[in-house]
Amino acid sequence: MSKDEIHNKDAPDIHEYFARDPEKADRRFFGRVSHSNRRGFLKGAGLATMSAMVGATIPFHKNMPAGLIPAAFASEDVLAGKDGLTLLNDRPVNAETPPHLLDDAITPTVRHFIRNNGIPPADMMMDSWTLNVDGLVDNPMTYSIADLKSKFEVVTRALTIECGGNGRAFFNPPAKGNQWTYGAVACSEWTGVRLKDVLEAGGVQSSAVYTAHVGADSHLSGEEGKLSLSRGLPIAKALTDNILIAFAQNGEDLHPMNGAPLRLVVPGWPGSCSQKWLERIYLRDIVHDGPKMTGTAYRRPNRPVEPGEKVETEDFVIIERMPVKSLITNPANGSEGGRSMEVRGHAWSGDRTIASVDISYDFGASWMPAELDAPVNHGAWQNFRASVELPAAGYYEIWARATDSEGEMQPHAIDWNPKGYLNNTMHRVAVRVS
Ligand SMILES: Nc1nc2c(c(=O)[nH]1)N[C@H]1C(S)=C(S)[C@@H](COP(=O)(O)O)O[C@H]1N2
Ligand SMILES: [Mo]
């Protein structure tokens, strides 16, 4: 397939090929032969094809993850209204934020990552948007956003959303899917009404065991009525009081890529629970079985497994809370400076609080406690800082490790699982003192 064919509207869409089967698409477009997760093996004809398609040689082609569609093919600016994000994929749009750009206590909207499974809806009109609440409730209801604002208490809370696959890029053997490094996490300030209040107003029937969430985005295939993702929560979780149906992000309308005009925000649980472009919640008497609820999606083995081990689908369990984790946002990885610095960052642990964060600059031989703030509210990450004085010129690594209220601490090594979820290993940043 030539560059002209790729840009020819009548030719099969490259994005469709990659959405259906990235491996097959890689083979078809670039003659991929290896099972490696990187395109480092891409030589000769395959590399020449890709270079011709992007219009230049690709000095770092060895680093390109397999299945990554060169962003040069993007037909529109999918990162409009975002600043400094790294685009991993443009169909569906997936973009993460480099750690040093997540330094703010409250993540500005321009820095909030994007994780889409399908195509966002074309129409995100606040005024005509409706939310249906039905299923196992006594009074099925349809609310406009104005109804939600007038009928329920409106609350504003800082809430952490982390994608279940954040950190997947470091899995070995590699795991398929978006190769998130560190930045699929954010803590914006969300304004909305409590999911609990809305469900209780509907009259939750005693047979309800799970919620089911429906958004207005469409499946990559474009098939009418087919959902890309529909997740749910155990009813007891749904009735806790800091899950929001949000219509504002940092005091403004939601960003289109973050679910405008209405979304769920379920702090501390995999980001996939926080349905964007929310238009329906229904209650069910079974564990919800929508797209990405079943099989191995957002699930992990029910036991520790060996890296690379094959695990039967029936041995996978639904991921609930996200584990204890921290992120160093200052200094930036690879930075150069003087001997003294302030190390800063955030720490979080789903449904829990952080008890302590420790810092090391000698590869973990010794640790010093960081100053740690309380969360501004339940569900928000906690900020930490420490003044560090490095002994001499040279290369150092700053390591951070958080311990939560249940005494759980971040591990040094990845607790490997086949789908590449829940990587909460300690964050390390390199610094050079001149
Ligand atoms: N309707 C809908 N909601 C969705 C998704 C989606 O693809 N469609 N992706 C989910 C996933 S996997 C994550 S991690 C979060 C990311 O939220 P963000 O894009 O606002 O950062 O949205 C969740 N909500
Ligand atoms: Mo996610």
Side-chain angles (χ1 to χ4, degrees):
M1 183 156 287
S2 71
K3 189 182 174 185
D4 289 343
E5 278 178 273
I6 296 298
H7 294 291
N8 172 354
K9 278 206 160 47
D10 300 326
D13 183 353
I14 186 173
H15 299 284
E16 256 167 55
Y17 278 112
F18 275 90
R20 262 185 239 147
D21 185 344
E23 282 197 0
K24 212 163 128 196
D26 245 4
R27 269 198 307 277
R28 181 192 160 104
F29 284 95
F30 309 117
R32 178 170 181 236
V33 286
S34 145
H35 292 295
S36 155
N37 190 45
R38 302 268 158 194
R39 280 190 176 130
F41 53 83
L42 196 61
K43 293 190 195 89
L47 185 55
T49 309
M50 193 182 287
S51 299
M53 285 167 60
V54 300
T57 58
I58 309 172
F60 293 116
H61 68 87
K62 283 198 165 66
N63 302 336
M64 290 181 92
L68 176 97
I69 306 172
F73 300 165
S75 49
E76 54 188 316
D77 182 9
V78 295
L79 294 183
K82 294 287 176 182
D83 181 26
L85 270 60
T86 308
L87 187 65
L88 300 185
N89 189 352
D90 74 337
R91 193 184 157 103
V93 177
N94 285 286
E96 67 172 330
T97 314
H100 69 281
L101 297 182
L102 287 171
D103 196 39
D104 301 88
I106 300 293
T107 310
T109 303
V110 293
R111 300 266 161 81
H112 198 288
F113 75 101
I114 303 167
R115 197 291 185 244
N116 292 348
N117 288 266
I119 307 298
D123 180 359
M124 303 184 195
M125 297 294 288
M126 171 82 86
D127 293 343
S128 52
W129 197 266
T130 55
L131 172 68
N132 286 309
V133 179
D134 62 310
L136 299 172
V137 290
D138 294 333
N139 316 298
M141 289 291 289
T142 299
Y143 297 102
S144 66
I145 293 178
D147 290 338
L148 292 174
K149 290 181 184 171
S150 66
K151 291 193 159 75
F152 302 101
E153 186 188 352
V154 172
V155 291
T156 296
R157 332 203 82 195
L159 300 172
T160 306
I161 300 179
E162 183 181 20
C163 180
N166 197 21
R168 177 181 291 132
F170 308 109
F171 270 60
N172 188 19
K176 275 190 222 162
N178 287 301
Q179 297 299 300
W180 303 109
T181 63
Y182 302 103
V185 62
C187 183
S188 281
E189 210 170 60
W190 301 94
T191 300
V193 297
R194 293 184 189 90
L195 173 63
K196 171 184 196 280
D197 293 349
V198 173
L199 294 181
E200 283 175 351
V204 177
Q205 296 181 357
S206 58
S207 53
V209 302
Y210 234 82
T211 62
H213 315 147
V214 182
D217 46 337
S218 49
H219 193 265
L220 286 175
S221 65
E223 218 174 292
E224 190 75 36
K226 189 169 174 186
L227 299 173
S228 60
L229 172 134
S230 170
R231 305 247 321 147
L233 295 169
I235 196 74
K237 173 67 182 174
L239 294 174
T240 56
D241 66 7
N242 69 334
I243 298 174
L244 296 189
I245 300 174
F247 41 76
Q249 177 177 16
N250 297 317
E252 293 174 348
D253 292 351
L254 306 193
H255 186 280
M257 290 293 180
N258 298 125
L262 194 68
R263 77 173 299 171
L264 274 171
V265 182
V266 184
W269 282 40
S272 52
C273 298
S274 296
Q275 198 85 29
K276 301 191 283 188
W277 309 291
L278 183 70
E279 53 181 16
R280 182 180 177 210
I281 300 171
Y282 60 108
L283 300 189
R284 308 193 62 179
D285 60 3
I286 57 166
V287 174
H288 182 45
D289 56 0
K292 306 268 168 101
M293 272 306 296
T294 59
T296 59
Y298 301 106
R299 292 185 183 220
R300 57 165 306 146
N302 58 8
R303 58 176 190 277
V305 300
E306 209 177 298
E309 192 178 324
K310 267 228 149 301
V311 180
E312 298 301 323
T313 304
E314 57 265 30
D315 289 347
F316 279 78
V317 293
I318 297 174
I319 296 169
E320 298 197 329
R321 55 172 292 274
M322 294 294 289
V324 57
K325 192 164 172 179
S326 62
L327 183 75
I328 300 167
T329 57
N330 189 73
N333 186 35
S335 57
E336 264 190 79
R339 286 172 45 211
S340 46
M341 67 188 67
E342 184 175 70
V343 176
R344 287 189 299 272
H346 319 290
W348 62 94
S349 183
D351 297 340
R352 301 178 183 170
T353 53
I354 296 296
S356 60
V357 174
D358 298 296
I359 304 294
S360 175
Y361 51 82
D362 56 8
F363 303 99
S366 66
W367 294 88
M368 60 182 283
E371 185 192 353
L372 176 69
D373 297 340
V376 292
N377 53 246
H378 187 48
W381 64 20
Q382 291 167 246
N383 309 304
F384 67 82
R385 66 200 69 76
S387 297
V388 168
E389 186 76 23
L390 298 171
Y395 172 88
Y396 298 86
E397 288 184 12
I398 310 291
W399 294 9
R401 75 169 188 211
T403 306
D404 72 18
S405 49
E406 306 276 306
E408 242 171 75
M409 188 197 280
Q410 289 182 258
H412 283 273
I414 297 176
D415 182 6
W416 191 92
N417 60 82
K419 300 295 299 291
Y421 295 124
L422 306 174
N423 180 0
N424 68 333
T425 49
M426 296 174 196
H427 189 199
R428 302 156 52 194
V429 304
V431 293
R432 284 180 195 80
V433 174
S434 37

